[in-house]
Amino acid sequence: MAKINANVLVTRRVPQPALDMLAEACSRVEVNPDDRVLAREELLAAVKGRDAVLCLLTDTIDAGVLDAAKGARVFANCAVGYNNIDVAAATARRIAVTNTPGVLTDATADLTWALLFAVARRIPEGDRYTRAGRFKGWAPMLMLGGDISGRTLGIIGAGRIGTAVALRSRGFRMRVLYFDKLQNEALEQAVDAQRVDLDTLLRESDFVSVHVNLDAATHHLIGARELAIMKPTAYLLNTSRGPVVDEKALVAALRERRIAGAGLDVFENEPELAPGLAGLDNAVIPPHVGSATIGTRTKMATLAATNLLAALRGERPPNIVNPEVMAPSPTGRAAMQT
Ligand code: DGY
């Protein structure tokens, strides 16, 4: 097949199969040679003259970057979340934005459960204790954690990932509550989940797990007020986006043991942590690795490449976020509005 005459930027190295797809299909593909986030000035310079950009959640794609990328047809985000992109600004410039839903659902749900176990059963804390030579033998009161089986799991945001987390509770005979603007009948049938308001979920859950998109409505959805409603024996899990939780308020709640613990894969100002968080034994804090399996990251990158190539070919990308930029062509194929 003839190559697409297109100049493509990949803002940071992603799994090779995706780079191979792009190199095979496009006349020019440039990958940031350094394994680091491009600084703003570098990003502004790098996007210039590109037809398409494969970008990451660590790239802030705002109006300035979109203007610098004048002529670009698509920004293909290698993430399901796209809060790093000003979609309205892209739409105003008729630039397609795509994301990678579905392929990371299982990996992220698995990581959520890993956090649940880790924080409730104090695994990282116990590991540090043993390595430090402090383990002097079995003791009846050593490292007592929270019970899991038979407890109540509260899911905030019952979309793909929230649902997958809830379904994994089946082996643990848990009661499942969920809070979402939409009813999820499949979830209700599968695990007898009950849709409740946010305060009821916070009041009754032993594990509160957050799975919403980050937008103006969900920024600090969990703050001091919400943390105060939770049981002192309850745990908070967040594998969505850091700013959904007021991290400063969470540190205070954890420090004062107003809740039992937190498992956080995401942070409000990544890679910075709120002061005091790193010193808390009742917080488990991996570095945003929810989707970090070889298989999942490969699927994310190849899906981003698929979306990017579709847009360059004038086809509708499978995961377009702003379909308004597409218009049906006389041949029935979707084409970019110009
Ligand atoms: C996403 O895709 O939004 C995830 O946060 C990446 O791990």
Side-chain angles (χ1 to χ4, degrees):
M1 207 201 266
K3 287 203 177 196
I4 310 167
N5 184 18
N7 182 350
V8 177
L9 171 72
V10 180
T11 61
R12 188 168 181 173
R13 199 180 141 73
V14 293
Q16 194 59 39
L19 300 178
D20 292 344
M21 277 173 69
L22 295 176
E24 218 166 277
C26 300
S27 54
R28 183 166 172 214
V29 178
E30 196 182 337
V31 183
N32 168 12
D34 304 319
D35 188 21
R36 64 172 175 80
V37 180
L38 291 171
R40 181 165 175 84
E41 290 309 315
E42 294 173 315
L43 183 61
L44 287 170
V47 298
K48 228 169 237 156
R50 308 294 180 174
D51 299 298
V53 178
L54 191 153
C55 57
L56 306 174
L57 61 91
T58 40
D59 300 315
T60 299
I61 310 298
D62 56 15
V65 173
L66 294 165
D67 282 339
K70 194 168 164 24
R73 281 179 268 165
V74 59
F75 275 72
N77 214 32
C78 187
V80 64
Y82 49 85
N83 55 289
N84 57 307
I85 303 183
D86 185 339
V87 177
T91 305
R93 290 159 180 76
R94 297 195 171 132
I95 298 174
V97 174
T98 66
N99 69 339
T100 60
V103 293
L104 47 72
T105 302
D106 282 333
T108 309
D110 292 347
L111 195 275
T112 306
W113 275 87
L115 286 176
L116 186 156
F117 282 114
V119 68
R121 300 304 304 270
R122 304 172 64 177
I123 306 291
E125 187 188 351
D127 183 88
R128 288 192 293 271
Y129 181 90
T130 307
R131 286 171 199 272
R134 295 170 63 199
F135 178 42
K136 304 296 177 207
W138 186 89
M141 300 303 285
L142 179 63
M143 293 273 161
L144 305 188
D147 288 301
I148 297 167
S149 293
R151 297 292 160 153
T152 298
L153 173 64
I155 302 286
I156 299 180
R160 277 179 295 261
I161 296 172
T163 298
V165 170
L167 293 179
R168 281 160 171 71
S169 72
R170 278 189 282 214
F172 302 96
R173 306 181 311 279
M174 294 176 95
R175 173 181 177 227
V176 178
L177 304 178
Y178 75 98
F179 168 67
D180 198 296
K181 51 182 186 270
L182 299 176
Q183 187 180 1
N184 186 332
E185 278 178 36
L187 185 59
E188 292 178 9
Q189 275 167 21
V191 291
D192 213 10
Q194 222 185 314
R195 184 172 170 219
V196 293
D197 60 56
L198 181 59
D199 287 4
T200 302
L201 182 145
L202 294 167
R203 196 177 310 112
E204 297 188 11
S205 297
D206 299 294
F207 298 92
V208 172
S209 196
V210 181
H211 303 284
V212 293
N213 295 329
L214 172 62
D215 56 28
T218 59
H219 183 264
H220 283 191
L221 181 66
I222 304 297
R225 188 195 80 86
E226 290 71 26
L227 292 163
I229 297 173
M230 288 174 64
K231 301 181 194 183
T233 50
Y235 299 87
L236 178 72
L237 308 166
N238 187 10
T239 54
S240 63
R241 283 292 183 265
V244 175
V245 174
D246 179 343
E247 204 169 289
K248 212 169 136 205
L250 176 61
V251 168
L254 290 170
R255 185 180 284 136
E256 293 157 24
R257 305 274 159 173
R258 284 189 268 115
I259 66 169
L264 310 171
D265 185 42
V266 288
F267 306 93
E268 194 164 350
N269 294 301
E270 290 181 21
E272 306 297 323
L273 301 180
L277 181 58
L280 293 172
D281 266 340
N282 54 350
V284 177
I285 50 172
H288 200 154
V289 289
S291 63
T293 71
I294 296 165
T296 300
R297 285 283 164 85
T298 303
K299 284 185 203 151
M300 288 167 69
T302 53
L303 185 53
T306 300
N307 282 316
L308 182 150
L309 293 176
L312 285 179
R313 291 188 179 114
E315 297 162 3
R316 184 188 170 100
N319 308 109
I320 187 150
V321 166
N322 54 349
E324 316 86 277
V325 301
M326 311 290 297
S329 76
T331 61
R333 288 173 75 210
M336 295 292 171
Q337 285 181 350
T338 52

